[in-house]
Amino acid sequence: MELSEILSSHHYELYSQETKTYLSKKDSGIYSILNWMIRKIALLEMNGFPVETLKIDYHGQEIYDLLFEKKECELNFSDISDEEKIFFKEKLDTTGWGLGDDVKLLNFKITNKIINKFFNPSKLVLECYDNLIKSNNIDLNNTIFVWARSTDKGGETKLPSVESYLKVIDSINSSNKEILLQTDDYRVLSNFKGRNLNLKTIKEIPISETLKGFHVEMFEIGDDAFKSKYKITKNEYLLQMYCLSLIAKNSYKSILYPGNPTTYVPIIKGSFNDCYLFKDDNQLF
């Protein structure tokens, strides 16, 4: 593939052959950006455009170093067959679920290389993660993590009802387990609270008051207004949101709404083990 075929024509990504730097300026949620970048790094590397540095321009702020650390190692795809490379290019394009129409077709041999080099949690992420676990008394070995986003996501896909989530919970060994719910929508929280569940939420992460996705508010209102409204800075919110993927990765079981974490969590986990991934309102991948 030529460089012009790999990069979007919408000018929200750039690649410098001189510095081997890939820059994302994509205007979307953080997990959409990360899935997009993983695909593009793979395509660049497999077509002779090496990547050594990543930058993420998130509404005018560089956040790669906030969230990640890079390992000084070579990205080598020599063990990936031509058939696998073609499949990755043609079948694992970006979708509403992250990559591809069936996330179970992910090639972890490819994505593991990229995660290992570029997407290691930063010290700030690990500190935030530890603080969230401790302050909320979360026992990951006995936690069923339910990520049930709504707000503006309802306009993009058929979202599961509370009953659909409960069916999945009932299908697994939930005896003496705690349900940890993450949602951005007070209506979803209210519906879950109305059920007989051993339920908790992460108290530090705010619920949307406008039914917009937080990534919309991140650029609609200024830093001071955001902090005044939600009692955290935008950087603190981004750190907390990324920690959710680590909580999902490390929990006893994780049940994920149909969206970009459906792809990103298995990618950083390196497997689909203990993950229940919604495709729409009632189907699982």
Side-chain angles (χ1 to χ4, degrees), residues 12-16 21-26 37 53-57 62:
Y12 44 62
E13 58 182 348
L14 298 169
Y15 172 76
S16 168
T21 298
Y22 175 81
L23 164 66
S24 168
K25 299 192 291 182
K26 199 167 186 289
M37 291 181 73
T53 303
L54 294 186
K55 293 184 180 296
I56 305 174
D57 182 334
E62 210 298 304

Side-chain angles (χ1 to χ4, degrees), residues 16-137:
S16 168
Q17 290 181 267
E18 181 179 1
T19 63
K20 302 175 183 176
T21 298
Y22 175 81
L23 164 66
S24 168
K25 299 192 291 182
K26 199 167 186 289
D27 183 13
S28 59
I30 187 65
Y31 290 103
S32 172
I33 291 169
L34 297 179
N35 285 326
W36 178 279
M37 291 181 73
I38 288 167
R39 172 174 166 80
K40 290 308 180 75
I41 293 165
L43 292 180
L44 286 165
E45 283 280 345
M46 290 189 290
N47 285 279
F49 302 103
V51 180
E52 285 299 328
T53 303
L54 294 186
K55 293 184 180 296
I56 305 174
D57 182 334
Y58 195 71
H59 308 305
Q61 180 183 358
E62 210 298 304
I63 65 166
Y64 176 80
D65 290 337
L66 174 72
L67 299 178
F68 302 108
E69 291 184 357
K70 185 188 80 168
K71 286 183 182 176
E72 296 301 327
C73 59
E74 182 184 4
L75 272 181
N76 188 336
F77 290 90
S78 61
D79 61 328
I80 306 299
S81 68
D82 289 342
E83 290 77 12
E84 289 174 299
K85 292 175 182 177
I86 292 170
F87 187 92
F88 187 91
K89 171 194 168 186
E90 295 182 350
K91 300 296 184 182
L92 294 175
D93 205 345
T94 50
T95 64
W97 303 292
L99 297 179
D101 290 321
D102 184 348
V103 297
K104 290 294 180 74
L105 299 177
L106 284 171
N107 187 326
F108 292 123
K109 289 194 297 181
I110 293 174
T111 58
N112 284 350
K113 296 174 187 290
I114 296 167
I115 294 298
N116 181 58
K117 178 166 184 173
F118 287 114
F119 294 100
N120 303 286
S122 70
K123 291 180 180 178
L124 284 174
V125 166
L126 294 177
E127 288 174 3
C128 181
Y129 172 79
D130 287 340
N131 289 337
L132 291 178
I133 296 298
K134 291 175 183 176
S135 66
N136 291 279
N137 194 27

Side-chain angles (χ1 to χ4, degrees), residues 132-140 142-146 177-183 189 192-193 197-203 247:
L132 291 178
I133 296 298
K134 291 175 183 176
S135 66
N136 291 279
N137 194 27
I138 298 170
D139 176 5
L140 290 168
N142 289 294
T143 292
I144 298 173
F145 179 60
V146 179
K177 299 297 187 291
E178 196 163 51
I179 309 301
L180 177 61
L181 173 68
Q182 169 58 33
T183 184
L189 177 60
F192 269 92
K193 282 185 173 180
L197 295 170
N198 183 18
L199 183 72
K200 72 164 51 173
T201 59
I202 298 174
K203 60 181 181 290
I247 291 172

